[in-house]
Amino acid sequence: MRPPRARTWGRIGCTPVVRVRGRGSGRVSIAGMACYKAGQRSRMIYGFRVHRGRKGEPKAFTWQDYRDLILRARVQLGGPIVLVWDNLSTHLMPPMKEFIAANEDWLTVFQLPSYTPDLNPQEGIWALVKRGIGNLAVANVDHLAKAVRTRLKKVQYRPHLIDGCLTQVGLNIND
């Protein structure tokens, strides 16, 4: 619930200040895939999780959640998938590697080098989402979740934004 810092407007000489309670009352986690195919519109497929701070509730995505996201993408895209992802520890877990090996007939995975967010088009999408909620003061985690979901939908239904994130990293699907 710590708000992102962003620029905003205010009266000259009066810096606007929004007070927030510092207790950890929740978290919104998102996992997403920017999907590109020559001759078709770009798509974004994502998973969403709200952690409300309850005991025993998972705080972040597990390898099963990433597996389910990949399977959902396969159904929606209707074909083989070439997956390029970062070195998140969940991506490198042995059960995930076993899943990838068991499905190598339709799933090919390439790991990005360490510390290379400038090569990942998905980072541009996260920047767009964060920019859209930068000046938002939320009352609770549900309000934050609704705002993030709304922003994700705005990006999801604008393929030119998703294409722009691919161009930003220096790639072109038509090459």
Side-chain angles (χ1 to χ4, degrees), residues 1-2 23-30 47-54 57-61 133 138 140-146 148-149:
M1 290 291 293
R2 289 194 182 101
R23 50 177 238 234
S25 59
R27 171 188 300 188
V28 175
S29 297
I30 312 162
F48 197 83
R49 169 168 293 194
V50 177
H51 171 67
R52 291 182 172 80
R54 296 184 182 125
E57 184 181 35
K59 291 183 182 178
F61 282 87
I133 62 171
V138 296
N140 55 32
V141 73
D142 293 322
H143 185 206
L144 176 64
K146 184 177 177 185
V148 169
R149 233 186 219 128

Side-chain angles (χ1 to χ4, degrees), residues 22-157:
R23 50 177 238 234
S25 59
R27 171 188 300 188
V28 175
S29 297
I30 312 162
M33 303 169 76
C35 305
Y36 303 97
K37 188 172 185 179
Q40 294 187 4
R41 72 176 180 88
S42 300
R43 300 173 75 177
M44 183 179 69
I45 300 170
Y46 65 89
F48 197 83
R49 169 168 293 194
V50 177
H51 171 67
R52 291 182 172 80
R54 296 184 182 125
K55 197 171 190 176
E57 184 181 35
K59 291 183 182 178
F61 282 87
T62 62
W63 75 269
Q64 293 97 336
D65 295 324
Y66 286 107
R67 176 199 61 202
D68 295 344
L69 182 65
I70 294 168
L71 291 172
R72 201 168 71 224
R74 180 179 184 221
V75 169
Q76 287 183 21
L77 299 172
I81 295 176
V82 176
L83 185 63
V84 180
W85 63 13
D86 55 11
N87 289 313
L88 183 68
S89 61
T90 312
H91 297 166
L92 304 172
M93 293 185 75
M96 182 56 94
K97 288 183 178 181
E98 292 170 10
F99 168 74
I100 292 167
N103 296 293
E104 63 185 12
D105 55 324
W106 60 269
L107 179 64
T108 306
V109 176
F110 294 100
Q111 295 287 143
L112 286 172
S114 297
Y115 308 112
T116 53
D118 51 330
L119 297 177
N120 191 350
Q122 193 66 34
E123 295 294 335
I125 292 173
W126 298 145
L128 288 170
V129 172
K130 288 178 185 179
R131 186 181 319 146
I133 62 171
N135 285 323
L136 181 68
V138 296
N140 55 32
V141 73
D142 293 322
H143 185 206
L144 176 64
K146 184 177 177 185
V148 169
R149 233 186 219 128
T150 301
R151 191 64 190 171
L152 282 167
K153 288 287 183 191
K154 285 184 178 182
V155 172
Q156 190 175 31
Y157 291 112

